[in-house]
Every structure is written in C-alpha cells, then in structure tokens.
C-alpha cells in the first residue's frame, strides 16, 4: 500500500496571501503602503482640524454660557441675605391713593367735633351746637350737606331727629330745631330727604302742629 503524502506547499502559499496582502520583502510595496498610511493620517488630521474650526464658529454664535456660582466662603450667608430680601414686603403703591380717599375735609372734621360735643352735652350745650351749625353753614360757600360734611351730615341728622322726638313734648327750642331741619332740606339732596322722612320726624312734626300742642305761630310758620 502506497504511503500517503501531504502537500503543504499550496496551503502555505494561501496562508501567506491571507496574512500578508503585500510582499514584506518587496521594498517598493512597503514604501507604497507607508505612503498610503501617511496620506490617510493626513486626511484624518485635516478632517479633525476642519471639525474644530466648525465647532468654534458654532460656539461663537451661541449666547454666553451661564457663569458658575462664585465659590465664596460666605456663600450661605449671602444666600440667606438674598432670601430675606425676597421675603421683604413690597411697598404699597396705592397708599397715597387710600390716604387721599380717607382724608377728611375741614367741614367733616368740624362737624365730627360738634357731634362729639352734642353727644356728651346737656340741653344747653346742644343748643349751642345747633346755633354754631347754622352759622357755619351760612358762612360756607358749598352747595350741599354731603359736599360740606360728607358722611358726618347723615350722622348728625340721625341725632337731630332722635332728639327732636324726645324734646317735642317740652317744646324746647322748637324754632331752632326746625331751622336746622330746613337747612338740611334746603339743598334737596335725595339721600338727606329720604333719611329725614324715614326717621318719622314728619309725623311728630304734624302732631306738634295739631291743637294738642301749644305751638307758637312763628313755629307754625316755620313748619
């Protein structure tokens, strides 16, 4: 039986071709390969250089970056002070407007003092208040109780109508009280007239003009 022999020459040639795409012993091929590698590296360097230039152009068009917080030693204290500043109440910009609205006129302040004296005084003191009231209105250039005394006019009218009903049986200073009512009604302000009639003073006045009361003629003329 003939001995089997293996031919390794063909396989070695195939292995050489697969492992070495060029002949390592051929100087020209090695030189060409080095030149190609250097050219490829130059192309890569050119690509990265262009990419860096492009990124720098893009960065130049972007807004500046937010700077980092300063690394100070007293940063917690500074943060606390800034927080207190934010928690501080804002100024009241409408304070002047509110003060101007609630600011009382001289006539309003004057009548407010007379109302306090009327509430605390006796009959004689209240008579003086009514006389001062008539003189003040006559010397004023305004045309209306509300224009002159504002809300205090209504408060004073309530006191006058109540006192009139109490003092009517005594006929105490009845002409003076009627003159004050006529001053209130003279300007024909709707709110003043309505409050006067709703107080019931008209009914008491009609009774005063009846025969049950000994009312002087001058009072009847005023009524």
């Amino acid at each position: 039986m003939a001995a089997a022999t293996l031919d390794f020459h063909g396989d070695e040639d195939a292995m050489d071709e697969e492992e070495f795409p060029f002949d390592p012993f051929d100087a020209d091929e090695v030189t060409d390969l080095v030149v190609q590698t250097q050219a490829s590296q130059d192309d890569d360097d050119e690509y990265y250089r262009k990419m860096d230039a492009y990124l720098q152009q893009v960065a130049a068009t972007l807004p500046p970056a937010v700077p980092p917080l300063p690394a100070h030693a007293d940063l917690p204290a500074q943060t606390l002070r800034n927080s207190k500043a934010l928690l501080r109440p804002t100024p009241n910009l409408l304070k002047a407007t509110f003060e101007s609205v609630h600011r009382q006129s001289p006539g309003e302040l004057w009548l407010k003092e007379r109302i306090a004296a009327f509430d605390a005084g006796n009959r004689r003191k209240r008579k003086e208040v009514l006389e001062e009231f008539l003189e003040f209105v006559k010397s004023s250039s305004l045309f209306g109780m509300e224009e002159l005394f504002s809300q205090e006019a209504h408060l004073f009218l309530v006191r006058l109508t109540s006192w009139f009903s109490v003092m009517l049986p005594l006929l105490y200073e009845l002409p003076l009280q009627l003159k004050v009512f006529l001053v209130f009604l003279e300007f024909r302000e709707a709110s003043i007239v309505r409050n006067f009639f709703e107080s019931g003073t008209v009914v008491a006045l009609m009774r005063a003009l009846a025969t049950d009361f000994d009312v002087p003629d001058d009072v009847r003329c005023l009524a």
Side-chain angles (χ1 to χ4, degrees):
M1 184 176 180
T5 59
L6 297 177
D7 187 7
F8 294 101
H9 297 287
D11 294 340
E12 291 179 357
D13 295 339
M15 291 176 60
D16 293 339
E17 291 179 359
E18 291 179 358
E19 293 180 1
F20 301 100
F22 63 94
D23 188 358
F25 300 103
D26 190 342
D28 294 335
E29 290 187 7
V30 172
T31 302
D32 293 340
L33 182 60
V34 171
V35 172
Q36 292 177 2
T37 303
Q38 185 66 32
S40 177
Q41 185 175 0
D42 293 340
D43 292 340
D44 292 343
D45 294 340
E46 181 66 20
Y47 170 78
Y48 289 123
R49 185 168 56 256
K50 291 182 178 180
M51 181 60 68
D52 290 339
Y54 171 74
L55 293 178
Q56 290 178 2
Q57 293 178 358
V58 172
T61 60
L62 295 177
V66 178
L69 293 176
H72 298 300
D74 59 342
L75 184 59
Q78 183 178 0
T79 304
L80 181 60
R81 288 194 298 269
N82 295 337
S83 300
K84 290 182 178 179
L86 294 176
L87 295 176
R88 188 178 305 153
T90 58
N92 188 359
L93 302 179
L94 300 178
K95 182 179 180 180
T97 304
F98 292 147
E99 289 179 352
S100 62
V101 171
H102 294 286
R103 187 180 298 117
Q104 294 179 326
S105 62
E108 190 175 359
L109 293 174
W110 182 90
L111 186 56
K112 189 174 183 179
E113 294 177 357
R114 297 308 179 276
I115 290 176
F118 187 89
D119 293 340
N122 52 18
R123 289 191 297 179
R124 183 178 301 177
K125 182 61 179 178
R126 292 184 175 184
K127 176 186 175 181
E128 294 177 1
V129 171
L130 295 184
E131 292 174 346
E132 293 176 359
F133 177 79
L134 292 176
E135 291 295 331
F136 187 87
V137 174
K138 290 179 181 179
S139 62
S140 175
S141 60
L142 299 180
F143 301 97
M145 289 290 106
E146 292 183 341
E147 183 181 0
L148 182 58
F149 301 115
S150 186
Q151 188 64 26
E152 297 296 327
H154 296 274
L155 300 178
F156 190 46
L157 181 59
V158 170
R159 287 162 170 80
L160 294 179
T161 54
S162 301
W163 193 54
F164 177 80
S165 301
V166 173
M167 301 305 296
L168 182 58
L170 302 177
L171 300 179
Y172 179 75
E173 294 295 337
L174 189 57
L176 179 60
Q177 296 187 66
L178 292 178
K179 289 179 181 179
V180 174
F181 288 142
L182 289 176
V183 170
F184 269 96
L185 301 175
E186 179 182 358
F187 301 101
R188 299 181 180 180
E189 297 172 279
S191 59
I192 297 294
V193 175
R194 182 177 62 253
N195 291 342
F196 178 77
F197 279 92
E198 290 179 353
S199 65
T201 306
V202 176
V203 177
L205 183 58
M206 292 299 102
R207 291 185 57 192
L209 298 178
T211 56
D212 297 340
F213 290 86
D214 187 12
V215 179
D217 293 337
D218 57 346
V219 176
R220 295 181 187 274
C221 294
L222 288 174

